[in-house]
Amino acid sequence: MRSSTLLSEILAVLAKELTAELRSRVALNAIGLFGLTTLIAVAYQIGPYQIREADRPHLLSALLWIILFFAATSGLSRVFVKEEDAHTAKTLRLAARPLAILGGKYLFNLILLVGLYALIVPLYCALMGYAVRGVVGLLLVLVAGAVALAATTTIVAAIIARASGSTTLFAILSVPLVLPLLVMLIQGTRAAAASSELAAVLPALQGIGSLGGAVMIVSVYLFPVVWHD
Amino acid sequence: MTENRTRALLHWLLGGWVLLVILAAFFYAPSASGFKGESARIVFFHVPQAWVAVLAFCVNLVASIRYLRKRNALDDARAAAAARLGLIFSVLATVTGSIFAHVMWNSFWNWDPREVSIVILLLIYAAYFALREAIPDEERRASLSAAYAVLAFVTMPFLVFVVPRIYWSLHPDTIIGATGKLKLQMESRMLQVLFGSLAGFTGLFFWLYTLDVRLARVRLARRGREEA
């Protein structure tokens, strides 16, 4: 009974987030346009022929995640900052329990990230001539990456919203936490591009999954402190 | 009075121990083969500095959890003191590591996974203080920075154990290898100096940490009197 109530609260928070975002489209525009602009700049200046064959596996996977991560940071912090800006945080505190708010906001950030990946990754592969042998492996890395990245950025967004709401602070706080994850994501993407075997991406997936899971569990305990203090 | 005497005695003992370690690092430990000149002696200072940077991170975590449970302002001061020292020792570990890398490989920075690990630790400490400075309200500052410290600690095992295993490293394998067996490939006199230095640096950390916490205790007591 209680878990179904929690689920319905999470879905209600998610629905509220989606409605508010579709009305203003601030995060969607920021993430989408930042991603596209960076992709165009990289593709125009580097393109498929500027990188030597031997360097392609390293550089192309790293460039892809630099574009994806920095595009994501431009919009993911808004999920909590907008509540403080619009003075709606107090109402939200009364309307739903902390876990439901964290869950709803996490799912919203996850949807934003999946949308960003769906837009940027195919375009990147086409514009940069990035041939991926293990498409299923890459999809798994992208999904695991979105799940773990959304977990870290959502709790950091909650912290900075209660601190000063500055997006600069969001980057300062999230970059050191996300770096190990980015290293594993780049390694996993490189492995997926080189081999169609799922075993090739397994070490990276284990690392990404365990880091994402650990951050999620800690977030569940920390969020009530961050949200109510 | 007795407490002051014990404290003074401990300070002298610590000073003597650290002096002994410095002398032993240069005159007692033999030269290591396979390294340029006497460059390997930096290990007696570099490894303990990195160890103290990680130890400070653990002390910061414990104090942060205590703050979140008991809401005692002194625990926040303990967490901040540990982080301050952790920041200093991670800078020292990075600098000494870079000096050694330059002597050995003619390059100050090689993007070795362990080099990256200590820099990320440094960034976490810097971010922790950036967060503290961004919050004027003391209670909120304490609780949010404690939450960030706990969150940052979760990434630590991945930096120390997972990432260095994905990438090839210039650093020797850790003392306990991937198989779980103890690996100590050092000459016994070098090991004695290394462990002596680890003990000395740990003592140095706790001395500086205690000084900082005592100072914070005095500040809190004075403010309590002013508010009363």
Side-chain angles (χ1 to χ4, degrees), chain A residues 137-153:
Chain A
L138 179 66
L139 282 175
L140 285 173
V141 170
L142 287 171
V143 169
V147 168
L149 206 57
T152 312
T153 49

Side-chain angles (χ1 to χ4, degrees), chain A residues 93-104:
Chain A
R93 272 186 203 103
L94 294 173
R97 66 186 97 176
L99 198 55
I101 294 165
L102 178 70

Side-chain angles (χ1 to χ4, degrees), chain A residues 210-225:
Chain A
S210 49
L211 180 55
V215 171
M216 266 187 216
I217 292 165
V218 171
S219 299
V220 168
Y221 287 100
L222 289 179
F223 184 71
V225 174

Side-chain angles (χ1 to χ4, degrees), chain B residues 143-203:
Chain B
S143 62
L144 290 183
S145 52
Y148 183 72
V150 175
L151 189 64
F153 194 84
V154 174
T155 59
M156 213 32 216
F158 295 88
L159 284 171
V160 176
F161 298 111
V162 180
V163 173
R165 274 171 179 47
I166 292 178
Y167 287 93
W168 178 80
S169 174
L170 286 164
H171 280 74
D173 204 357
T174 41
I175 287 175
I176 297 177
T179 55
K181 286 182 182 165
L182 204 64
K183 286 178 168 182
L184 293 171
Q185 297 169 336
M186 259 187 180
E187 207 268 341
S188 73
R189 276 190 295 168
M190 292 174 87
L191 268 179
Q192 287 164 20
V193 179
L194 180 62
F195 284 123
S197 182
L198 282 168
F201 270 86
T202 308

Side-chain angles (χ1 to χ4, degrees), chain A residues 8-206:
Chain A
S8 62
E9 276 185 33
I10 290 173
L11 293 175
V13 173
L14 174 64
K16 169 209 149 297
E17 290 301 321
L18 289 171
T19 312
E21 185 54 40
L22 289 174
R23 204 177 288 149
S24 70
R25 296 193 189 90
V26 175
L28 273 175
N29 288 339
I31 289 179
L33 287 175
F34 195 106
L36 278 176
T37 311
T38 327
L39 172 62
I40 290 165
V42 168
Y44 180 58
Q45 280 302 306
I46 300 171
Y49 309 114
Q50 297 285 331
I51 308 172
R52 285 184 308 164
E53 199 56 39
D55 297 330
R56 287 178 70 81
H58 301 278
L59 286 181
L60 288 177
S61 55
L63 278 173
L64 173 64
W65 280 103
I66 288 169
I67 294 170
L68 292 176
F69 174 66
F70 285 99
T73 53
S74 66
L76 294 184
S77 64
R78 270 199 59 77
V79 75
F80 281 104
V81 173
K82 70 181 175 194
E83 303 288 358
E84 299 292 336
D85 287 351
H87 304 288
T88 49
K90 282 182 183 163
T91 316
L92 195 58
R93 272 186 203 103
L94 294 173
R97 66 186 97 176
L99 198 55
I101 294 165
L102 178 70
K105 303 250 180 203
Y106 167 75
L107 287 176
F108 175 71
N109 268 354
L110 185 63
I111 291 170
L112 276 184
L113 277 176
V114 170
L116 172 74
Y117 294 177
L119 173 73
I120 298 296
V121 177
L123 278 174
Y124 181 85
C125 292
L127 292 174
M128 300 295 287
Y130 193 27
V132 178
R133 286 195 185 138
V135 176
V136 179
L138 179 66
L139 282 175
L140 285 173
V141 170
L142 287 171
V143 169
V147 168
L149 206 57
T152 312
T153 49
T154 305
I155 187 72
V156 174
I159 292 174
I160 65 123
R162 305 286 293 143
S164 68
S166 130
T167 45
T168 318
L169 192 60
F170 178 73
I172 292 170
L173 296 192
S174 58
V175 164
L177 302 185
V178 165
L179 263 171
L181 182 63
L182 280 181
V183 169
M184 291 187 276
L185 286 169
I186 291 167
Q187 196 266 343
T189 306
R190 198 168 64 215
S195 167
S196 58
E197 296 285 323
L198 275 182
V201 295
L202 212 57
L205 281 178
Q206 285 171 338

